[in-house]
Amino acid sequence: MDTIELTNITGLRGEVRVPGDKSISHRSVMLGAIAQGITEVSHFLQGADCLATIDCFRRMGIEVEHRQTSLVIHGRGLHGLHAPTELLNVGNSGTTTRLLSGILSGQPFDSKLSGDESLNSRPMKRIIEPLTQMGANISSILRNDCAPLYITPGHLHGIHYTSPVASAQVKSCVLLAGLYADGETSVTEPSLSRNHTELMLREFGADLQSTLLPGSSKATAAIRPCTELYGQKITVPGDISSAAYFLAAGLLVPDSEILIKNVGINPTRAGILNVCNAMGGNLTVLNERTQGGEPTADLLVSTSRLHGTTIEGEIIPTLIDEIPIIAIMAAMAEGTTIIRNAAELKVKETDRIETITDNLRAMGCSVTPTEDGMIIQGKEKLHGATIHTLLDHRIAMAFSIAALVADGTTKILNSHCVDVSYPAFYDTFEELL
Ligand code: S3P
C-alpha cells in the first residue's frame, strides 16, 4: 500500500519553498484560540499534525477558517474554551498532546485526549509529573504513563520545575499551564530547546522572561499569570526540519545546486546548519532577516564531498528532528560520524535509533546503535532496499533522499506518512528536475 519506488538521479537544480514551520503553526492555533480577538496566520502548515490541533480546538468551540492565503482563528480569550463534546483526537502529534494538556489542565471542564498507536505509546509521565505538581488532575487512563489522558479541573499554582530533559514540549506544556496558575511558573532545562512558545507568548502579550545561566548551558523561562492574551498576525517561516531534506539532497546528489527560500533559522532549531558546515558542505546562508520575531533566511547548497563529524552535547536539541537526514549525510560521508547524547531519539514517532539503524543497514551501511545515539561508517555508495518507515514521516523523507544517491531501486513503504509534516514532499522534487 502506497509504496513509492525511487532510483538515483543527478542534477537537482532550482529554487524551492518548504511549508510553514510545524512547531510554530501548532502554537499559532493554540495561542490564537485562547487569545482575545482574531489571529491571522499566513504560511500555516496544512499537515496532519497541525490539522489535528485545529480539530481539537474546534471541538472546544473555536472557529477556525481556512482562507485562500491564511488561517483565521477566532479567539475566545483565556477562559473562553467550551467543554469538548467528544474525545480530543491528537492523531500522531506529540506537540498537540503535550502542549494542549498544559492548556486543558487550567480549564473548568473534563477532557480526554487520545491519538494513534505510535502517539499512545509515547511517554507522558514527563508532563503528568510537573502538571500534577502544579495541582492539575491529569492521569493516564490505562495507567501506563501514556495517552489516552484524562484531565479534570484542578486549581493550578505556580511552581519552579527543573526538567530532566531539554524538551520544548515539556517546557511549553508547563508554561501554558502557568497562564492559569496563581503565581509565577518557571521551567529550567538542561540546555535550551526550541523557544517558539516563549517568543510567541511574548508577542501575544504574556509576561515572560527567558534567562541563560551564565557559564552553563541551563536555560530558564518564567511566566506570570495574565488576564488576557491578544490575537496577532503571524507569518510562519519555512520549516527548517522540512528544508533539511533539500539541504541534504543538494549536498549529496551529484551536479546539484538548490536555493531553499524563506527558512526559519532560529538558533534553537538551526543545529543542522552547523553540522553541514562541520561536514564540509557548500552551504551559504543568504538574506538573513527577522520575520515576526523569528530569524529567517534563504539557504543555498551545492554538491559537496562530505566528511564525518561528532555531534553531541547542547547542539542535540537544536537538531533532534534532523538526525534521520543527518544520518543519511553521514552514511555518504568520508569517515566516521558519531552521534551522542541523543537518547530522546528513542521516544519520537518511532524509536529512531532503531529505525535509522535498521534501514541504513538494509542499504549496506555499517551502523552501530548506542544507548544515546549511533556510530555511522561513511560509504561511497548505498544500495537500494525496502525501507520500513513504520509510519514515521521523518524516516520516510530521510530515506527518500538516500534513495536518490543509492544504486538500484529503493521502495519506501507507507510513504503517505509524509503527510504528517510535509504533504507535498514528493511534488517538491518535480520543481528541481
Ligand atoms: C517540538 C519539540 C520537539 C520536537 C518535535 C516538536 C515542539 O520534541 O522533536 O518534533 O514543537 O515543541 P521534544 O520537546 O519532545 O524534544
Side-chain angles (χ1 to χ4, degrees):
M1 198 191 90
D2 81 312
T3 299
I4 280 201
E5 292 198 8
L6 299 164
T7 52
N8 59 27
I9 51 167
T10 57
L12 286 176
R13 294 187 159 262
E15 220 177 270
V16 290
R17 277 172 197 274
V18 292
D21 187 275
K22 179 155 83 69
S23 295
I24 298 175
S25 295
H26 278 298
R27 285 157 173 81
S28 68
V29 175
M30 295 186 186
L31 294 194
I34 58 169
Q36 283 274 353
I38 301 274
T39 288
E40 187 168 354
V41 190
S42 3
H43 204 45
F44 179 82
L45 169 62
Q46 305 274 357
D49 271 17
C50 297
L51 297 179
T53 293
I54 293 180
D55 184 62
C56 290
F57 280 95
R58 282 196 172 134
R59 286 180 193 283
M60 293 188 284
I62 299 296
E63 189 190 340
V64 182
E65 284 177 76
H66 291 274
R67 294 200 185 150
Q68 208 155 31
T69 57
S70 66
L71 186 81
V72 174
I73 303 138
H74 295 259
R76 293 177 51 89
L78 270 181
H79 302 283
L81 298 177
H82 293 167
T85 39
E86 288 172 59
L87 180 110
L88 298 170
N89 182 358
V90 294
N92 189 241
S93 175
T95 307
T96 311
T97 313
R98 297 198 177 108
L99 273 61
L100 188 53
S101 295
I103 295 175
L104 292 173
S105 293
Q107 304 306 318
F109 51 74
D110 294 1
S111 49
K112 275 187 195 155
L113 277 119
S114 185
D116 66 14
E117 200 182 318
S118 148
L119 186 282
N120 285 354
S121 66
R122 295 177 67 183
M124 293 299 152
K125 194 171 175 187
R126 51 180 61 200
I127 57 158
I128 294 175
E129 254 174 24
L131 289 173
T132 305
Q133 280 178 33
M134 292 179 79
N137 292 317
I138 173 168
S139 57
S140 159
I141 292 175
L142 302 177
R143 296 176 198 282
N144 60 356
D145 290 327
C146 297
L149 299 173
Y150 182 44
I151 302 174
T152 61
H155 178 79
L156 301 189
H157 46 83
I159 59 165
H160 175 72
Y161 185 63
T162 302
S163 175
V165 277
S167 159
Q169 294 180 357
V170 171
K171 169 176 62 177
S172 303
C173 166
V174 175
L175 293 174
L176 290 169
L179 285 169
Y180 296 93
D182 61 10
E184 182 176 286
T185 300
S186 55
V187 185
T188 298
E189 45 182 349
S191 64
L192 183 62
S193 65
R194 64 192 68 192
N195 63 355
H196 307 300
T197 303
E198 296 95 299
L199 294 179
M200 201 184 284
L201 271 168
R202 238 181 261 132
E203 294 280 314
F204 274 74
D207 180 359
L208 187 139
Q209 305 290 331
S210 305
T211 41
L212 281 171
L213 208 69
S216 129
S217 56
K218 285 192 177 169
T220 299
I223 190 163
R224 288 177 190 279
C226 66
T227 43
E228 276 310 344
L229 300 175
Y230 300 95
Q232 299 293 312
K233 267 195 178 345
I234 297 172
T235 303
V236 182
D239 195 329
I240 191 164
S241 300
S242 299
Y245 305 105
F246 295 96
L247 284 176
L251 296 174
L252 297 178
V253 173
D255 192 29
S256 296
E257 184 175 271
I258 305 179
L259 178 66
I260 314 164
K261 299 277 281 184
N262 193 37
V263 181
I265 56 158
N266 179 321
T268 64
R269 292 287 300 284
I272 186 164
L273 304 184
N274 300 47
V275 169
C276 289
N277 287 328
M279 295 182 89
N282 298 321
L283 160 70
T284 316
V285 178
L286 298 164
N287 196 13
E288 281 188 66
R289 59 210 182 264
T290 303
Q291 195 176 287
E294 290 280 351
T296 306
D298 303 333
L299 305 174
L300 179 68
V301 279
S302 57
T303 310
S304 308
R305 186 77 201 112
L306 300 182
H307 52 77
T309 187
T310 297
I311 308 167
E312 61 186 343
E314 49 190 91
I315 198 172
I316 293 292
T318 74
L319 49 67
I320 190 74
D321 291 345
E322 288 64 76
I323 291 180
I325 189 62
I326 289 172
I328 305 301
M329 287 159 55
M332 293 295 294
E334 204 180 314
T336 304
T337 293
I338 301 171
I339 300 172
R340 293 194 192 102
N341 311 128
E344 280 292 298
L345 288 173
K346 293 187 198 165
V347 293
K348 296 296 177 191
E349 286 81 335
T350 55
D351 174 342
R352 287 184 179 155
I353 295 182
E354 205 172 283
T355 37
I356 293 170
T357 301
D358 291 351
N359 285 308
L360 269 183
R361 281 180 175 166
M363 297 187 90
C365 176
S366 161
V367 190
T368 310
T370 62
E371 260 316 292
D372 66 349
M374 62 198 83
I375 302 164
I376 299 170
Q377 303 297 337
K379 217 175 141 41
E380 276 289 295
K381 265 280 165 228
L382 298 173
H383 57 71
T386 296
I387 301 302
H388 295 269
T389 61
L390 306 186
L391 295 172
D392 183 335
H393 57 136
R394 301 212 186 277
I395 296 297
M397 291 187 276
F399 281 87
S400 295
I401 303 301
L404 303 183
V405 289
D407 283 338
T409 301
T410 297
K411 290 183 182 177
I412 311 284
L413 302 183
N414 292 116
S415 60
H416 74 276
C417 64
V418 303
D419 288 355
V420 159
S421 64
Y422 199 161
F425 176 70
Y426 292 106
D427 303 329
T428 308
F429 279 101
E430 307 295 321
E431 295 167 31
L432 294 171
L433 294 171

